[in-house]
């Protein structure tokens, strides 16, 4: 989902409806009732007395968040259940992983929107859906269980990294999907640089031996698995950091640094000429060793085993990030919904209704429309959320139809790709002009003025002072 599309005018509506509410908007019906004593001893009794149909939204991803922003809260009593209390602007996750932008600049908290909608948010995960009683069973991070009733249910619980059952991936790879993944990755890269900088002195002899040189080279070998937009953009951001800040601040280590990309193909959703352009730029300016027609067969703590064109080999590494695809969460199958042929996604009709149910909807990566395949991207989920809100609000009865607004990918070195643009003049761009378009598009698509302001200051800070290399370390404890 890192390859973000140029959203339609509906995206502006999303941002307009999702702005942080002011004080007046926080004066909800509940607080007015509580102030007058109507709430009584049960602080949530007013919600149980609400006669509006109950809509429960599972997840805070692109589809679910869009439904929350666009749904008519005067018509529905809305509740949101998700263990993540924000929408992550996933197309810029790679940028936040190396400090180009701050993670908070690409996260939109769900609470302000919930307050504006007079809705409820529960920071929990759903463990069961009772379709007969029309209840969802939730579990908090402390393990407490409780149930929430619904009249209409919207399932948009997203996806997880796909390890394809390859041994060692779960145990040894880093991933790039959630906000915390970017934090872990940045800390890991900085730790590897610091470890390598003192390794030669551990034997109290500051001269560099051949064995020490071999170990340092291994620790500074970075591998990205996957040639999709996420993998390519991560390679671009990583090499920007290594060729600039790392080269300047760790001059003795720069000759040991290597970046590899392991993938079967490169940006296969783009035209072949753009794929060739990306390949030339990554291997040339960004100094990435791209291994095409390559499959990972096994992963160890410091060694990746692979097969390329039928030949087996292995590469020692210090850091490996897995960006080789996504799959729905395993608990999707536990909901006992009709699934696709592979049993991985919820099967829905063209109105996004789960097959066999009139009051349950599914959208985004966890679902697939029968006989209407769509890519698993933020653009698709956003358009589905916009459509479903209109359907629930009674403003449309047509089937869902997806309209692609283009694709973007950052290559590093102020260079990007733009493809399938919805303009009559040009349908693709490359180079610095595409980079400016990439940045402007992502700035424009932020969900609030807060995020756009923070993103602008992040870019300016990085341009003037470079990326932040701060590692916060461990919390304090008395000894």
């Amino acid at each position: 989902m890192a390859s973000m599309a140029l959203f339609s005018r509906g995206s502006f509506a999303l941002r307009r409806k999702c702005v942080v509410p002011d004080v007046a908007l926080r004066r909800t019906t509940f607080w007015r009732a509580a102030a007058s004593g109507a709430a009584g001893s049960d602080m949530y009794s007013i919600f149980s007395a609400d006669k509006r149909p109950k809509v429960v939204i599972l997840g805070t991803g692109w589809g679910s968040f869009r439904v929350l922003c666009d749904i008519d809260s005067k018509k529905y009593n809305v509740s949101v259940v998700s263990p993540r209390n924000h929408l992550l602007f996933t197309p810029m996750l790679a940028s936040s992983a190396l400090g180009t932008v701050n993670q908070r600049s690409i996260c939109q908290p769900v609470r302000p929107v919930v307050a504006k909608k007079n809705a409820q948010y529960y920071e929990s995960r759903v463990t069961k859906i009772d379709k007969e009683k029309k209840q969802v069973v939730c579990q908090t991070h402390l393990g407490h269980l409780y149930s929430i009733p619904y009249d209409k249910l919207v399932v948009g619980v997203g996806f997880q990294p796909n390890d394809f059952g390859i041994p060692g991936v779960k145990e040894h790879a880093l991933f790039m999907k959630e906000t915390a993944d970017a934090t872990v990755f940045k800390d890991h890269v900085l730790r590897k640089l610091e470890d390598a900088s003192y390794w030669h002195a551990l034997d109290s002899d500051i001269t560099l031996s051949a064995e020490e040189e071999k170990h340092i080279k291994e620790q500074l070998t970075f591998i990205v698995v996957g040639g999709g937009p996420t993998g390519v953009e991560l390679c671009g951001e990583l090499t920007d950091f290594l060729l600039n800040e790392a080269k300047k601040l760790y001059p003795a280590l720069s000759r040991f640094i290597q970046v590899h990309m392991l993938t079967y193909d490169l940006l296969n959703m783009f035209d072949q000429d753009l794929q060739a352009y990306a390949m030339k730029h990554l291997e040339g300016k960004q100094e990435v060793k791209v291994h095409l027609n390559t499959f990972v067969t096994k992963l160890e703590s410091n060694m990746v085993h692979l097969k390329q064109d039928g030949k087996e080999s292995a590469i020692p590494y210090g850091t490996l990030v897995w960006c080789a695809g996504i799959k729905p969460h395993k608990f999707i199958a536990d909901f006992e919904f009709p699934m696709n042929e592979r049993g991985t996604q919820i099967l829905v009709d063209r109105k996004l209704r789960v097959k066999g149910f009139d009051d349950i909807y599914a959208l985004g990566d966890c679902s697939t429309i029968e006989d209407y395949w769509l890519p698993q991207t933020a653009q698709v989920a956003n358009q589905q959320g916009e459509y479903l809100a209109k359907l629930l609000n009674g403003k449309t009865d047509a089937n869902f139809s997806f309209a692609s607004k283009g694709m973007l990918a950052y290559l590093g070195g102020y260079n990007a790709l733009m493809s399938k643009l919805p303009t009559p003049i040009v349908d693709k761009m490359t180079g610095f002009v595409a980079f400016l378009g990439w940045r402007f598009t992502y700035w424009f698509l932020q969900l609030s003025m807060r995020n756009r302001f923070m993103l602008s200051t992040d870019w300016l800070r990085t341009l003037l002072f470079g990326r932040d290399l701060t590692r916060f370390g461990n919390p304090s404890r008395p000894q």
Side-chain angles (χ1 to χ4, degrees), residues 7-148:
F7 284 23
S8 62
R9 292 170 57 191
S11 294
F12 182 75
L14 171 61
R15 295 191 304 276
R16 186 174 67 248
K17 295 176 183 178
C18 289
V19 293
V20 177
D22 58 22
V23 174
L25 290 173
R26 294 191 181 98
R27 296 172 183 169
T28 64
T29 304
F30 167 71
W31 295 117
R32 289 196 299 268
S36 64
S41 59
D42 182 2
M43 63 180 299
Y44 288 104
S45 61
I46 188 168
F47 296 113
S48 62
D50 197 322
K51 300 302 181 184
R52 294 172 298 168
K54 301 177 182 64
V55 174
V56 175
I57 302 173
L58 307 185
T60 50
W62 282 96
S64 300
F65 201 89
R66 185 61 187 260
V67 174
L68 172 64
C69 288
D70 290 4
I71 197 169
D72 187 352
S73 57
K74 296 180 181 178
K75 192 172 183 179
Y76 295 104
N77 180 347
V78 182
S79 297
V80 180
V81 182
S82 175
R84 189 178 72 185
N85 73 343
H86 60 274
L87 166 67
L88 171 63
F89 194 87
T90 47
M92 296 200 70
L93 185 59
S95 294
S96 72
L98 273 306
T100 305
V101 299
N102 192 295
Q103 279 116 320
R104 297 184 185 278
S105 302
I106 60 171
C107 294
Q108 182 65 40
V110 70
R111 277 289 180 184
V113 185
V114 166
K116 180 181 178 181
K117 290 289 182 176
N118 294 341
Q120 289 297 301
Y121 168 66
Y122 302 91
E123 191 173 276
S124 305
R125 66 184 186 90
V126 174
T127 60
K128 180 182 179 182
I129 298 177
D130 192 327
K131 306 176 194 64
E132 294 184 359
K133 295 181 179 180
K134 285 194 170 185
Q135 292 182 340
V136 292
V137 180
C138 309
Q139 185 178 38
T140 71
H141 71 99
L142 297 175
H144 301 305
L145 295 174
Y146 60 96
S147 298
I148 300 176

Side-chain angles (χ1 to χ4, degrees), residues 161-210:
N162 193 347
D163 64 352
F164 300 99
I166 298 173
V169 172
K170 292 180 182 179
E171 295 80 6
H172 305 299
L174 300 177
F175 299 94
M176 194 57 56
K177 173 192 173 292
E178 293 288 352
T179 317
D181 292 334
T183 303
V184 170
F185 176 74
K186 179 184 176 183
D187 188 75
H188 181 88
V189 171
L190 294 177
R191 187 173 70 248
K192 289 297 180 182
L193 288 167
E194 295 297 343
D195 289 350
S197 67
Y198 64 65
W199 189 262
H200 68 286
L202 291 181
D203 58 358
S204 299
D205 181 0
I206 61 173
T207 59
L208 187 64
S209 67

Side-chain angles (χ1 to χ4, degrees), residues 219-232:
Q219 292 301 300
L220 298 182
T221 296
F222 301 91
I223 297 178
V224 176
V225 181
T230 302
V232 169

Side-chain angles (χ1 to χ4, degrees), residues 232-384:
V232 169
E233 293 192 343
L234 183 60
C235 269
E237 294 285 355
L238 176 60
T239 49
D240 279 350
F241 167 75
L242 294 174
L243 294 173
N244 291 280
E245 284 81 5
K247 188 174 183 179
K248 178 182 178 181
L249 301 175
Y250 300 89
L253 301 179
S254 59
R255 64 190 179 98
F256 300 111
I257 296 174
Q258 293 186 21
V259 179
H260 297 261
M261 173 183 282
L262 310 180
T263 181
Y264 177 74
D265 51 21
L266 186 70
L267 296 175
N268 59 13
M269 68 290 296
F270 286 81
D271 296 336
Q272 288 189 353
D273 58 331
L274 295 181
Q275 294 178 34
Y277 180 91
M279 182 78 172
K280 181 179 179 181
H281 179 82
L282 288 172
E283 290 192 322
K285 186 173 182 179
Q286 301 304 117
E287 301 180 11
V288 178
K289 297 181 180 180
V290 181
H291 305 257
L292 295 177
N293 302 313
T294 301
F295 300 92
V296 174
T297 57
K298 182 182 178 181
L299 193 61
E300 296 179 277
S301 60
N302 62 346
M303 186 76 67
V304 56
H305 299 265
L306 51 94
K307 180 179 291 187
Q308 183 178 26
D309 296 324
K311 299 180 180 179
E312 296 184 355
S313 60
I315 301 176
Y317 70 90
T319 303
L320 186 144
V321 190
W322 191 266
C323 306
I326 57 177
K327 64 180 180 180
H329 293 283
K330 184 179 180 297
F331 63 78
I332 289 294
D334 298 335
F335 290 165
E336 298 181 352
F337 289 133
M339 307 293 285
N340 62 358
E341 292 181 356
R342 292 180 296 173
T344 56
Q345 292 174 291
I346 301 172
L347 197 61
V348 301
D349 61 21
R350 289 292 293 271
K351 286 186 169 58
L352 307 186
R353 293 175 302 205
V354 176
K355 299 290 289 185
F357 298 90
D358 293 330
D359 53 3
I360 302 179
Y361 303 84
L363 73 171
D365 298 323
C366 70
S367 67
T368 185
I369 301 176
E370 188 175 32
D371 300 324
Y372 188 54
W373 181 87
L374 293 171
Q376 293 175 298
T377 64
Q379 180 185 185
V380 171
N382 181 74
Q383 290 191 25
Q384 288 179 336

